[in-house]
Amino acid sequence: MSTKRISDAMEKALNDQMTREAFQAQVYLSYASWAEVNSFSGIANFLYKHMNEEREHMFKILKYINDRGGETKIEAIGAPPENPSDIKDCLEKILQHEVDNSAEIDKLVNQAHEEKDWATFSFTQWFVKEQIEEESLINGLLDKYTLASEQKEGNANYYELDKDLNKAPQSAEIPREEKL
Ligand code: OFO
């Protein structure tokens, strides 16, 4: 057992965020399954892969809590929301989930700052950048959806969109620190 280097309040906040990341994974899992049964295998593939990303985020927080001498508590995960009505709804909903999660990450950053817990402040910066990338990624997919759906040439466009999403990366490039 190592010396506890995070406050009880921070331990609780990180635990809550860990559970939230698990919930995010459930959302992607459930939407992926919806896409698969509706014959959008490319979108399903993208969403399944992203489910794994969210699980990695969950695990990253779990490790951090334990490494700082805290104790992770595995809590129940809420049920995912209803299935989307169509692809656009699916993309809009996952974007909103990401925006909501970004707001929760911001709260963690704020708490770390208030507690002068610079280790956690530094740890949470990775998540801030990750959320920027994810929001940018989903916004990009929504743009592709708009392009594909506005050409009004029938289902061929949706087929191309589906192939595109199948190959979509799990993160978007954003400017990182300048190399001096
Ligand atoms: Fe965990 O990155 Fe999205 O939510």
Side-chain angles (χ1 to χ4, degrees), residues 116-130:
K116 296 188 170 38
D117 175 352
W118 305 124
T120 303
F121 185 83
S122 169
F123 172 72
T124 52
Q125 295 310 302
W126 184 91
F127 284 87
V128 171
K129 288 174 187 160
E130 182 69 9

Side-chain angles (χ1 to χ4, degrees), residues 17 21 24 28 50 53-54 57-58 97-98 101-102 127 130-131 134:
Q17 185 58 35
E21 298 290 342
Q24 292 287 90
Y28 278 99
H50 210 85
E53 293 254 319
E54 297 297 347
H57 300 167
M58 174 196 72
H97 281 292
E98 291 303 341
N101 201 31
S102 299
F127 284 87
E130 182 69 9
Q131 287 304 125
E134 291 188 336

Side-chain angles (χ1 to χ4, degrees), residues 5 16 21 28 34 36-37 44 55 66 69 80 84 113 115-116 129 134-136 142 158 162-163 170 172 174:
R5 300 279 287 129
D16 289 348
E21 298 290 342
Y28 278 99
W34 165 82
E36 189 164 55
V37 299
R55 288 209 170 134
N66 293 346
H113 190 268
E115 290 189 18
K116 296 188 170 38
K129 288 174 187 160
E134 291 188 336
E135 286 184 30
S136 169
L142 265 167
Y158 288 108
D162 192 42
K163 283 201 295 190
Q170 292 295 315
I174 58 166

Side-chain angles (χ1 to χ4, degrees), residues 28-85:
Y28 278 99
L29 176 65
S30 108
Y31 287 5
S33 175
W34 165 82
E36 189 164 55
V37 299
N38 282 282
S39 306
F40 294 116
S41 58
I43 295 172
N45 191 31
F46 170 79
L47 295 169
Y48 281 131
K49 281 195 276 188
H50 210 85
M51 169 200 68
N52 280 330
E53 293 254 319
E54 297 297 347
R55 288 209 170 134
E56 280 170 23
H57 300 167
M58 174 196 72
F59 189 62
K60 208 175 179 77
I61 298 173
L62 178 152
K63 284 292 294 166
Y64 179 76
I65 296 169
N66 293 346
D67 287 348
R68 295 299 284 163
E71 186 179 348
T72 296
K73 289 191 177 56
I74 305 300
E75 309 272 8
I77 308 168
E82 282 179 15
N83 283 338
S85 53

